[in-house]
Amino acid sequence: MVRPDDKFRDVLELDSLDFLSLVELLSERTGVRIDEEDYPELTTLSAASRFLVDRTAARP
């Protein structure tokens, strides 16, 4: 089980390619562009949720 503040890479044992796949999936499913400099915002469930909500709220 992933708790809100658990780091994805640690709990899910993600390597770099797995993490990139997760980022790509999040981007595809939400329609939010996620650049490499955004990756530090996606380390936990709560941080990723905050990031995605902020990005979708900023859309025109």
Side-chain angles (χ1 to χ4, degrees):
M1 178 169 89
V2 178
R3 293 182 298 244
D5 294 318
D6 288 343
K7 293 190 186 251
F8 288 129
R9 287 187 172 192
D10 296 339
V11 174
L12 301 175
E13 298 179 4
L14 301 177
D15 63 19
S16 296
L17 290 177
D18 292 332
F19 181 75
L20 289 176
S21 294
L22 174 63
V23 170
E24 185 176 304
L25 181 65
L26 287 172
S27 181
E28 288 175 5
R29 296 275 172 97
T30 63
V32 173
R33 180 181 170 141
I34 302 173
D35 296 316
E36 189 172 347
E37 63 262 9
D38 299 323
Y39 293 176
E41 300 295 323
L42 305 171
T43 57
T44 67
L45 183 59
S46 60
S49 298
R50 230 179 354 264
F51 171 82
L52 294 169
V53 167
D54 290 348
R55 282 290 173 94
T56 54
R59 287 186 193 171

